[in-house]
Amino acid sequence: MITVLLADDHAAVRAGLRMLLDSADDIEVVGEAADGAEAVEQARLLDPDVVVMDVRMPRKDGIAAAAELRGVADVLVLTSYGDDANVFDALRAGASGFLLKDADAATLVDAVRVVARGEGLISPAVTRNLIAEFGRARPSYAPIPVDGEGLASLTPRETEVLALIGEGLSNAEIAAELGMAESTVKSHVTRVLAKLDLGSRVQAAIYARERDR
């Protein structure tokens, strides 16, 4: 069972999300929060697998909350605008992906499942476009900080996997590119994130692109 915490400052939105997610047999909504600060508190108390969280909320916004939830829960950010610059910041903060609020029930449920598996929500094509847009729109931002020792500890194969993540490839596509099992790729990705102290696959992709500039 995938446990989910909902964080949105609109009660009606939370009610709608709860109804959609509760329709899935493998997902259970275990709590709700009306702002980012409450989301962090509830996540630490309830230990959900995924926090489905709005970007713009009072007291603490979704970006700051996502940064605090690294290592606590995977974050799926929801936004009303596909080009909202705040989404870029949320991904840099460690969120595992984002979804528009007008997504249908099936898309939302699948997104929660993907994030719960520890994978990036965004499809490879969208990831490439998103990262490219990030580079054009936010060139003045400081690069994502990465531990130099962690980077130096990457094996040649892990370095290859990181580069392919930066190109927006999925685990299946990386497996085909490198001639290995998809499960092996998943293990490499997990080690890369751990060694670089990155919160999500999307954050690793952004870092890889910044590193190659």
Side-chain angles (χ1 to χ4, degrees):
M1 186 66 70
I2 300 169
T3 55
V4 174
L5 172 69
L6 302 176
D8 194 290
D9 57 332
H10 297 289
V13 172
R14 297 198 305 273
L17 292 173
R18 178 181 282 273
M19 180 182 68
L20 294 178
L21 293 176
D22 279 344
S23 67
D25 294 336
D26 58 340
I27 296 176
E28 178 186 4
V29 176
V30 296
E32 299 183 14
D35 58 58
E38 186 180 2
V40 173
E41 294 170 1
Q42 290 296 307
R44 289 173 174 163
L45 177 65
L46 300 173
D47 192 27
D49 298 310
V50 178
V51 178
V52 178
M53 183 158 56
D54 192 12
V55 173
R56 297 174 178 176
M57 294 183 291
R59 288 212 298 164
K60 188 188 295 292
D61 63 28
I63 297 167
E68 290 191 37
L69 290 175
R70 286 181 56 186
V72 177
D74 291 312
V75 174
L76 169 60
V77 172
L78 292 179
T79 179
S80 297
Y81 307 98
D83 59 350
D84 191 337
N86 285 329
V87 173
F88 300 128
D89 298 332
L91 297 178
R92 291 176 63 92
S96 296
F98 77 88
L99 191 67
L100 294 179
K101 285 187 175 180
D102 61 1
D104 58 30
T107 300
L108 175 61
V109 169
D110 286 342
V112 168
R113 289 170 177 155
V114 169
V115 170
R117 291 198 301 266
E119 299 181 8
L121 162 67
I122 311 164
S123 69
V126 176
T127 299
R128 284 190 287 269
N129 292 339
L130 178 64
I131 295 169
E133 178 62 23
F134 176 88
R136 291 193 296 270
R138 309 301 290 271
S140 63
Y141 266 39
I144 292 175
V146 167
D147 186 340
E149 292 184 6
L151 183 60
S153 72
L154 293 181
T155 67
R157 182 62 85 187
E158 290 166 353
T159 301
E160 287 181 302
V161 168
L162 175 62
L164 293 176
I165 291 174
E167 294 178 17
L169 272 64
S170 66
N171 284 355
E173 291 171 325
I174 294 175
E177 179 75 18
L178 299 181
M180 62 176 64
E182 189 172 345
S183 59
T184 303
V185 173
K186 186 174 181 179
S187 296
H188 283 310
V189 172
T190 299
R191 287 196 291 271
V192 167
L193 296 181
K195 287 182 178 181
L196 300 184
D197 192 28
L198 295 173
S200 72
R201 183 193 190 91
V202 177
Q203 195 179 40
I206 293 172
Y207 166 72
R209 288 293 293 266
E210 289 177 337
R211 181 169 174 253
D212 290 339
R213 286 179 184 171

